[in-house]
């Protein structure tokens, strides 16, 4: 199937409109929202077309059919229609509303994954994303009370989270920044070292508990990052900061080949040995425990693109777009089945000849939109202009 036919016949325009509009008839949430398109100029290069807005979903569909974009992005709701932004003064063209969005990209995990690098992705390293979704999902729900989150595959190696609750959409940039600072617990550095402040906030403890359960399988077994003595330098440098005797014994022991899982177990065994020799006191043991906990979080805690989340003027690729390089459809992900989601087997333009392949993802989207609109409590017949 070519991309024009996809956008003409399979793209879920009605649900897309209800998702962004929050009512059955056009409101400012749709008519004053910015869209941007990436299109070919006829000479093989791209043109980025911003400040697009539409009075109805039908006019939006006609524009998409005319442009056949390589991709399109969704932006904020403004005080004036984006298509009229040149007709009003800058102070009268202000972003006032937008979903709270998060961007997880596996390339940000390249220091931690051994199976793939860069633009590559496989089911093993996808589990980093699964854990991140679990951690963020708990934060959204338990810490902020957000209930309407649409998770969508980015099309190549990541996932986008669209937090659609009314309270989240109304946050200004400063509030979004504060919320992100609350979440970004592993992004504080001191002389190149990751610092996670203690005592831990209950949210950090909960996040650690989620990560710890998956650390053995994802990091120690699937990624096996410390399988040689040379590769174990990261781990040895961490331990050297804790105790010289511990470092010396493990540095010698790990000259012989062993797996990352065996090395991780060696740490506690060797710590017990040097404690019996009087070379590791109670304080040192506590620091060692905290160092191991920090390593778990450093590997598995979500790594986010901060600019995407903070600025309401930032646009993000729409769900159900087709990724221009991979041909993958950016399908929604059910967080309850994210562990079995395989980014290498999503619908593509090549496989969409069988349109039924898209049905499970359309069902996830429809359910999410239905629940969101039930929560809005807007009269379906009212116009909001």
């Amino acid at each position: 199937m070519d991309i024009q036919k996809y956008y003409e016949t399979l793209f879920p325009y009605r649900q897309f409109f209800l998702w962004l509009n929050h009512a059955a008839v056009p409101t400012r949430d749709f008519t004053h929202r910015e869209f941007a398109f990436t299109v070919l100029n006829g000479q093989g290069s791209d043109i980025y077309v911003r400040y697009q807005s539409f009075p109805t979903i039908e006019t939006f569909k006609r524009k998409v059919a005319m442009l056949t974009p390589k991709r399109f992005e969704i932006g904020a709701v403004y005080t004036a229609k984006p298509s009229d932004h040149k007709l009003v003064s800058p102070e009268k063209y202000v972003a006032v509303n937008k979903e709270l969005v998060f961007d997880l990209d596996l390339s940000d995990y390249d220091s931690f994954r051994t199976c793939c690098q860069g633009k590559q992705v496989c089911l093993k390293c996808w589990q980093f994303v699964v854990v991140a979704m679990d951690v963020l999902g708990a934060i959204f729900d338990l810490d902020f009370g957000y209930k309407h989150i649409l998770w969508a595959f980015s099309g190549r190696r990541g996932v986008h989270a669209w937090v659609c609750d009314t309270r989240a959409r109304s946050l200004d940039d400063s509030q979004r920044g504060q919320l992100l600072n609350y979440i970004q617990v592993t992004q504080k550095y001191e002389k190149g070292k990751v610092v996670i402040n203690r005592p831990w906030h209950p949210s950090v403890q909960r996040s650690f508990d989620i990560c710890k359960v998956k650390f053995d399988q994802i990091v120690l077994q699937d990624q096996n990052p410390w399988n040689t003595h040379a590769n174990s330098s990261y781990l040895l440098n961490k331990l050297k900061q804790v105790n010289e005797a511990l470092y010396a014994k493990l540095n010698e022991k790990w000259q012989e080949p062993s797996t990352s899982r065996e090395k991780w177990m060696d740490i506690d065994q060797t710590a017990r040995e040097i404690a019996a020799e009087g070379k590791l006191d109670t304080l040192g043991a506590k620091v060692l425990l905290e160092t191991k906990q920090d390593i778990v979080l450093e590997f598995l805690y979500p790594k986010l693109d901060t600019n995407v989340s903070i600025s309401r003027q930032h646009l993000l690729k729409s769900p159900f777009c087709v990724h221009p390089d991979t041909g993958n459809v950016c399908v929604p992900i059910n967080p309850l089945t994210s562990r079995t989601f395989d980014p290498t087997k999503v619908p593509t333009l090549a496989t969409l000849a069988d349109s039924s392949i898209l049905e499970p993802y359309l069902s996830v989207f429809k359910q999410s939109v239905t629940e969101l609109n039930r929560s809005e409590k807007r009269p379906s017949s009212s116009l909001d202009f």
Side-chain angles (χ1 to χ4, degrees):
M1 176 179 290
D2 64 36
I3 193 167
Q4 183 172 7
K5 187 174 181 181
Y6 168 75
Y7 283 124
E8 287 177 349
T9 62
L10 293 182
F11 187 87
Y13 288 100
R14 173 171 168 73
Q15 294 301 323
F16 178 81
F17 170 74
L18 291 174
W19 173 51
L20 295 177
N21 185 65
H22 314 111
V25 294
T27 71
R28 284 178 177 266
D29 287 354
F30 188 80
T31 63
H32 287 52
R33 186 183 290 270
E34 181 184 8
F35 296 91
F37 300 94
T38 301
V39 297
L40 288 172
N41 67 354
Q43 300 177 353
S45 58
D46 293 343
I47 299 176
Y48 190 54
V49 184
R50 282 197 63 174
Y51 305 110
Q52 304 296 295
S53 59
F54 305 92
T56 66
I57 190 60
E58 289 77 16
T59 55
F60 174 83
K61 182 177 180 179
R62 287 196 293 270
K63 187 76 168 188
V64 171
M66 181 186 73
L67 294 177
T68 314
K70 292 177 63 177
R71 59 184 278 176
F72 65 85
E73 298 170 317
I74 301 169
V77 178
Y78 287 83
T79 48
K81 295 177 182 178
S83 55
D84 295 338
H85 76 284
K86 290 185 177 180
L87 304 179
V88 298
S89 57
E91 64 271 14
K92 292 184 178 180
Y93 183 69
V94 180
V96 292
N97 193 295
K98 184 191 171 188
E99 291 74 15
L100 178 62
V101 293
F102 296 85
D103 183 8
L104 285 159
D105 194 321
L106 273 171
S107 60
D108 293 328
Y109 290 79
D110 279 356
S111 298
F112 309 103
R113 56 181 184 148
T114 60
C115 54
C116 300
Q117 289 286 289
K119 297 178 180 180
Q120 297 174 315
V121 61
C122 69
L123 197 52
K124 282 186 177 181
C125 58
W126 182 257
Q127 299 310 305
F128 283 109
V129 173
V130 172
V131 174
M133 289 175 63
D134 288 345
V135 170
L136 289 175
I139 292 172
F140 296 155
D141 182 14
L142 301 176
D143 297 347
F144 294 99
Y146 296 145
K147 304 297 182 183
H148 302 287
I149 295 89
L150 178 70
W151 299 93
F153 178 49
S154 68
R156 192 201 294 273
R157 60 182 183 275
V159 68
H160 299 154
W162 298 76
V163 183
C164 303
D165 299 65
T166 304
R167 288 187 299 109
R169 300 199 310 266
S170 64
L171 295 174
D172 62 28
D173 289 3
S174 175
Q175 292 168 328
R176 290 166 195 250
Q178 292 171 33
L179 186 147
L180 197 67
N181 286 338
Y182 173 89
I183 295 176
Q184 294 277 72
V185 299
T186 63
Q187 300 304 309
K188 300 165 185 164
Y189 291 87
E190 187 176 281
K191 297 181 180 178
K193 177 185 175 184
V194 176
V195 176
I196 304 172
N197 293 332
R198 286 182 169 81
W200 280 352
H201 186 281
S203 177
V204 180
Q205 182 64 56
R206 182 187 62 236
S207 298
F208 170 76
D209 292 340
I210 293 171
C211 295
K212 182 182 178 181
V213 171
K214 298 298 180 181
F215 184 77
D216 182 88
Q217 181 64 54
I218 297 174
V219 177
L220 300 182
Q221 297 189 58
D222 290 348
Q223 299 301 321
N224 193 17
W226 311 309
N227 60 328
T228 67
H229 182 260
N231 289 346
S232 64
S233 59
Y234 160 90
L235 200 53
L236 286 168
N237 288 337
K238 294 276 189 182
L239 298 173
K240 189 173 185 178
Q241 297 172 22
V242 175
N243 183 279
E244 286 284 351
L246 178 65
Y247 163 79
K249 276 205 169 190
L250 289 174
N251 187 37
E252 180 179 358
K253 182 178 180 63
W254 292 349
Q255 298 291 335
E256 298 295 325
S258 61
T259 67
S260 297
R261 193 168 189 268
E262 289 168 335
K263 288 184 173 70
W264 191 252
M265 295 170 68
D266 285 342
I267 295 172
D268 289 342
Q269 176 60 38
T270 306
R272 285 191 289 269
E273 292 174 3
I274 64 170
E277 298 170 1
K279 297 178 181 178
L280 182 68
D281 58 17
T282 303
L283 178 60
K286 180 176 181 291
V287 173
L288 175 59
L289 173 62
E290 292 178 350
T291 298
K292 292 186 72 177
Q293 291 173 337
D294 289 356
I295 291 170
V296 171
L297 288 174
E298 189 175 353
F299 269 74
L300 293 181
Y301 196 85
K303 293 154 185 53
L304 302 169
D305 185 329
T306 57
N307 292 330
V308 170
S309 301
I310 294 175
S311 174
R312 285 172 295 177
Q313 293 186 334
H314 195 287
L315 294 96
L316 190 64
K317 184 165 56 207
S318 171
F320 289 102
C321 267
V322 177
H323 193 286
D325 297 327
T326 65
N328 292 330
V329 180
C330 302
V331 291
I333 300 173
N334 184 343
L336 299 178
T337 58
S338 59
R339 286 166 183 77
T340 59
F341 179 86
D342 189 341
T344 68
K345 296 181 179 179
V346 298
T348 66
L349 285 178
T351 61
L352 282 175
D354 176 10
S355 60
S356 64
I357 196 171
L358 206 57
E359 285 302 321
Y361 307 101
L362 291 169
S363 179
V364 172
F365 189 46
K366 183 177 181 180
Q367 180 66 27
S368 179
V369 172
T370 299
E371 292 175 357
L372 172 63
N373 277 275
R374 282 175 181 164
S375 74
E376 291 290 320
K377 299 178 181 178
R378 292 186 180 183
S380 61
S381 60
S382 68
L383 286 173
D384 181 18
F385 284 98

